[in-house]
Amino acid sequence: GGKGVLGRAEEAGLRGRKGAMALRINVFIIVLTITQILMILGYSQLTFHDGYGEQQKLDEARQKLKDREDALREPTPAPLESEYGQPDLPFMFDMNMYTYLGMCLTMTYLRKYAYTSLGMSFLMGCLAQEWCCLLLQWIPLGYCSFLKSNFVQVGCPYGSNPDLTQFENFQRARACTCDSLEDKIALNIADFIQGQFGVVAVLVSYGALLGKVNPLQMLIIVICNVAAYCGNKFLSVDYRGGVDNTGSLYTMHIFGAAFGLGCSVVVSGKRPSENPDNEARYQSNNYAILGSLFMFVCYPSFNSYWAPASLRVYVATNTFAALMCGGMFAFIWSNLIYPEGPTVMHLQDGVLAAGVAASTPACMFIPPIFMMLVGAGGTLISALSFRYLQPKINDQDTQGITSLHLLPGLWGALVMEAVTILGIDTQTVTLNNREMLGEIMPHFGEQWSSAATQALILAFALFVGAIAGALTGLLANLTGKVALAGSYSDHVFWIVPDDFTHIGEEGADTKVM
């Protein structure tokens, strides 16, 4: 009889655990489903497809018929490639490789967290891209309505008005050409590519949170992260006229790192770095290296997309120069700083830090030799940070985004300050192609405005990122925390193979997804 009572008690406990598991599953799936339905409704009501231009590609039979009809007419110029959106297609492929292959794979270095790293990066990347694509279009439409009402008395055409400042003339010209809130959002491939920069900002932040958040928390973090990213980008670039012509240094690398660290400080449990699963292994490091190689290959395209069309090749060349030098110095610095021998993470992150540091300075007409020094400096800062700073903040920064994104990004921002002061505001140094600076710098020609603006948008990125991250962490904590036993381990969220082992603490078998 006693055994039967015990057996029934065990069955009741098992049913209770299954019920709790089902409840958690339902909450996440319900919230995810509602979110996706709202996205679909938003796209259906607020957007229309504008990806074909005035001409559409036909199937082969209809194209032959059209060709015979056209042969009987007067010859006309061939349609531009831009009418089919073709110039953006290579960027789309490179951006997808950089984001969904490169960054997602770099997350897999933890020895028992590959399923969650890849799964959450992919799922939340899709959500972030949908959300970011809408916000990046909707916010400028609202701002355009404001500009049109603000400059209605000044009017067009677009020639400079001597009674206005350089930046006011820049805004006035924009008011004459932009769409307002009365218009639906015209979506094309460029909008989705630009939305991927918001995805990268989310994945940068996720690097600090690896192993410490559950799926429902991550969904909340993504929604808030993208909203803060778009708001910061608007304040920094559109409203204040800051220069971030790669779309990445201030508004993505620095902001994403600040957001992730601010959030991680709030959501991290007690001493998560002491978990034995918070380590890499040989196999997982191989996948992370592969991800770094994808990012390395796609970095020139990534940095050059936001640049004006006439400067894309220039930016790509400068980025490549910084990456090559960074790759060489990653080995040099790592072996000098680590006499016992560096780890693979130090090398791969050192190389990528060169691309981070070079992002926005690459568009400032700096000769390639100086861009090589920028890349070498970013790599040195990353190596020093991994050696001396990272061990002290492992509880708050799982992947090391401080050493890979934040500090190399601050080095790049310092280079931008030097260039704006010496090459623009004081003209102590003569920059190549100076006559083109007006295309990329809204404050060009206003004494000290460029340097002050760059310093201001750096403060924006750090302040908005950290505060928004901390507030998001407080909101995410309302859904609970991942226990120490569940941190850095796939068995909490997934059905894992029989050969998977975990640290086996109490409650470690309770799944939350």
Side-chain angles (χ1 to χ4, degrees), residues 5 155 165 263 267 293 327 330 395 437 441 469 474 493:
V5 172
T165 66
C263 187
V267 302
L293 291 176
D395 284 344
L437 284 172
M441 303 203 72
L474 292 173
F493 307 121

Side-chain angles (χ1 to χ4, degrees), residues 90-106 196 200 203 290-299 301-302:
F91 283 102
M92 182 190 72
F93 298 142
D94 286 354
M95 286 296 297
N96 281 333
M97 288 179 62
Y98 183 95
T99 306
Y100 293 108
L101 278 177
M103 293 201 73
C104 289
L105 281 175
T106 60
Q196 281 194 300
V200 175
L203 295 179
L290 183 61
S292 297
L293 291 176
F294 279 119
M295 294 175 67
F296 179 87
V297 169
C298 299
Y299 234 126
S301 294
F302 179 80

Side-chain angles (χ1 to χ4, degrees), residues 117-200:
S117 298
L118 282 175
M120 285 298 101
S121 296
F122 176 69
L123 175 62
M124 298 308 165
C126 292
L127 172 61
Q129 187 151 2
E130 288 180 327
W131 182 219
C132 188
C133 187
L134 276 181
L135 287 183
L136 282 181
Q137 297 300 309
W138 181 76
I139 293 176
L141 288 179
Y143 186 51
C144 181
S145 298
F146 165 76
L147 290 178
K148 286 181 181 295
S149 62
N150 193 41
F151 291 101
V152 65
Q153 300 298 328
V154 181
C156 297
Y158 321 133
S160 295
N161 187 321
D163 296 328
L164 302 177
T165 66
Q166 171 72 13
F167 184 52
E168 287 173 335
N169 275 304
F170 179 85
Q171 291 178 309
R172 170 174 167 258
R174 182 175 179 178
C176 294
T177 57
C178 64
D179 297 323
S180 61
L181 271 176
E182 289 76 17
D183 306 305
K184 271 193 170 185
I185 300 173
L187 285 180
N188 53 48
I189 190 62
D191 300 317
F192 287 100
I193 296 174
Q194 293 168 11
Q196 281 194 300
F197 286 83
V199 177
V200 175

Side-chain angles (χ1 to χ4, degrees), residues 463-478:
F463 180 78
V464 174
I467 298 300
L471 294 176
T472 302
L474 292 173
L475 181 61
N477 271 346
L478 298 178

Side-chain angles (χ1 to χ4, degrees), residues 265-283:
V265 168
V266 177
V267 302
S268 296
K270 295 181 179 179
R271 301 182 301 279
S273 61
E274 296 179 7
N275 190 308
D277 286 336
N278 185 16
E279 294 290 344
R281 64 179 175 183
Y282 185 78
Q283 188 73 21

Side-chain angles (χ1 to χ4, degrees), residues 12-300:
L14 181 60
R15 285 195 300 270
R17 287 195 295 273
K18 287 183 177 179
M21 179 182 72
L23 178 62
R24 279 189 287 267
I25 291 174
N26 289 339
V27 170
F28 172 65
I29 296 301
I30 288 172
V31 174
L32 185 64
T33 302
I34 293 173
T35 302
Q36 186 56 44
I37 290 173
L38 291 175
M39 288 292 174
I40 294 173
L41 293 175
Y43 273 86
S44 66
Q45 297 300 314
L46 300 176
T47 69
F48 69 95
H49 198 282
D50 192 34
Y52 292 114
E54 297 179 358
Q55 308 234 4
Q56 296 188 17
K57 291 187 175 181
L58 308 175
D59 60 75
E60 187 175 352
R62 292 172 64 196
Q63 186 65 53
K64 287 181 179 179
L65 178 62
K66 185 176 183 300
D67 290 342
R68 285 197 297 269
E69 293 173 352
D70 291 343
L72 301 176
R73 300 193 184 104
E74 290 291 329
T76 56
L80 298 174
E81 280 190 338
S82 58
E83 294 184 12
Y84 296 142
Q86 290 176 359
D88 284 330
L89 285 179
F91 283 102
M92 182 190 72
F93 298 142
D94 286 354
M95 286 296 297
N96 281 333
M97 288 179 62
Y98 183 95
T99 306
Y100 293 108
L101 278 177
M103 293 201 73
C104 289
L105 281 175
T106 60
M107 303 283 187
T108 62
Y109 74 97
L110 290 172
R111 61 184 182 178
K112 297 178 182 177
Y113 207 62
Y115 285 10
T116 309
S117 298
L118 282 175
M120 285 298 101
S121 296
F122 176 69
L123 175 62
M124 298 308 165
C126 292
L127 172 61
Q129 187 151 2
E130 288 180 327
W131 182 219
C132 188
C133 187
L134 276 181
L135 287 183
L136 282 181
Q137 297 300 309
W138 181 76
I139 293 176
L141 288 179
Y143 186 51
C144 181
S145 298
F146 165 76
L147 290 178
K148 286 181 181 295
S149 62
N150 193 41
F151 291 101
V152 65
Q153 300 298 328
V154 181
C156 297
Y158 321 133
S160 295
N161 187 321
D163 296 328
L164 302 177
T165 66
Q166 171 72 13
F167 184 52
E168 287 173 335
N169 275 304
F170 179 85
Q171 291 178 309
R172 170 174 167 258
R174 182 175 179 178
C176 294
T177 57
C178 64
D179 297 323
S180 61
L181 271 176
E182 289 76 17
D183 306 305
K184 271 193 170 185
I185 300 173
L187 285 180
N188 53 48
I189 190 62
D191 300 317
F192 287 100
I193 296 174
Q194 293 168 11
Q196 281 194 300
F197 286 83
V199 177
V200 175
V202 167
L203 295 179
V204 169
S205 301
Y206 186 40
L209 299 166
L210 277 175
K212 295 179 287 192
V213 290
N214 61 44
L216 182 57
Q217 287 177 312
M218 196 59 211
L219 190 150
I220 295 170
I221 290 169
V222 167
I223 293 173
C224 297
N225 194 334
V226 170
Y229 163 81
C230 294
N232 177 65
K233 187 177 185 303
F234 166 74
L235 287 175
S236 299
V237 179
D238 298 326
Y239 181 75
R240 191 60 185 87
V243 178
D244 197 12
N245 280 317
T246 62
S248 58
L249 180 63
Y250 298 90
T251 56
M252 194 193 72
H253 292 296
I254 295 176
F255 167 82
F259 185 100
L261 293 171
C263 187
S264 182
V265 168
V266 177
V267 302
S268 296
K270 295 181 179 179
R271 301 182 301 279
S273 61
E274 296 179 7
N275 190 308
D277 286 336
N278 185 16
E279 294 290 344
R281 64 179 175 183
Y282 185 78
Q283 188 73 21
S284 60
N285 262 338
N286 286 338
Y287 290 118
I289 296 169
L290 183 61
S292 297
L293 291 176
F294 279 119
M295 294 175 67
F296 179 87
V297 169
C298 299
Y299 234 126

